[in-house]
Amino acid sequence: MKSFQLLAISAILAFSANVFAQAPAAKGIKITKITGTVNIMKDGVVTMTLKPGDAIPEIADNSVTFAIVDGTVEIEAGGKKISGATGSNFTVTSNAGQVNVALGAGTPVAVKSESGHNVILTANSEVKLVRTDGTVLITVVKGSAVVTNASGGGTQTVQAGQVVSVPSAPMMTTPAPTPTPTPEPEPIIVPGIPASTVIATQEVVQAVCSESSSSPDCQ
């Protein structure tokens, strides 16, 4: 029995080493933040338990399950940010241009796209996000999800089989052009008038001429 237990432990350790290679991540799944206890699983087997302060391994597999015992965890995959909290049990699969997030029973999971749109998965749901030229297509594979824009508005519930298209990058707002100030007309100084008297229009010059036709400006 003891030999069997040692073999089982060796097999799990070997499996864990394959999932969490210490080489640069090849599939683009990355753990970015942990505030509690998280079990890392593969095919129903716990391969690693992480807590705050633990060294975060680089993930070489393209599909990993995260079970949140307590606290929160944040994952990056294919440009998307996936966040789970206590009770969440979800699987992230990342391939070229596509990210799938599948949530089992438990706390909802949030997926944030490159443009800041949020996808909230409810229990027993799965979404597929595929990036194309200029857009991200969000397909609900099963269950349902709630999609909001970057500010939390524009809420819509998407059911299995439905597709929503969102931008693949933040919307850029073009600032309004600054109006060009109109230059003030050059003041006209009439000889014989005190320097403090500024005549700004031709009508005033004509009024002066009617009183003093000897002014050079009235010739």
Side-chain angles (χ1 to χ4, degrees):
M1 179 63 70
K2 188 173 182 180
S3 298
F4 175 80
Q5 291 176 338
L6 290 174
L7 287 173
I9 293 173
S10 298
I12 292 175
L13 290 175
F15 183 77
S16 176
N18 289 330
V19 174
F20 298 104
Q22 294 304 312
K27 302 299 181 180
I29 299 178
K30 181 181 180 181
I31 303 172
T32 56
K33 186 178 180 180
I34 291 178
T35 66
T37 303
V38 180
N39 286 329
I40 313 299
M41 306 175 67
K42 181 70 176 181
D43 298 329
V45 178
V46 176
T47 61
M48 185 175 295
T49 298
L50 297 177
K51 296 182 179 181
D54 289 348
I56 297 178
E58 294 182 344
I59 302 174
D61 206 336
N62 70 334
S63 184
V64 181
T65 298
F66 302 89
I68 317 303
V69 178
D70 60 73
T72 61
V73 67
E74 183 180 270
I75 314 296
E76 284 188 5
K80 318 298 185 295
K81 291 184 178 181
I82 303 102
S83 301
T86 303
S88 296
N89 189 317
F90 61 96
T91 300
V92 178
T93 303
S94 180
N95 293 302
Q98 177 178 323
V99 174
N100 281 50
V101 181
L103 172 64
T107 308
V109 166
V111 182
K112 185 181 289 293
S113 72
E114 295 90 333
S115 61
H117 285 73
N118 296 290
V119 183
I120 311 300
L121 278 73
T122 56
N124 301 310
S125 296
E126 180 178 356
V127 295
K128 176 177 68 176
L129 298 94
V130 179
R131 182 169 183 169
T132 61
D133 292 335
T135 62
V136 172
L137 298 178
I138 303 170
T139 303
V140 177
V141 179
K142 68 175 183 179
S144 64
V146 176
V147 179
T148 68
N149 59 29
S151 61
T155 303
Q156 53 182 317
T157 300
V158 188
Q159 303 293 339
Q162 296 181 330
V163 182
V164 174
S165 177
V166 301
S168 62
M171 299 295 291
M172 301 298 293
T173 56
T174 303
T178 303
T180 303
T182 304
E184 294 291 333
E186 292 292 331
I188 302 174
I189 305 301
V190 178
I193 301 298
S196 60
T197 304
V198 178
I199 303 175
T201 63
Q202 186 61 35
E203 288 78 8
V204 178
V205 173
Q206 291 175 352
V208 173
C209 290
S210 65
E211 296 183 4
S212 177
S213 60
S214 62
S215 173
D217 291 81
C218 300
Q219 303 301 320

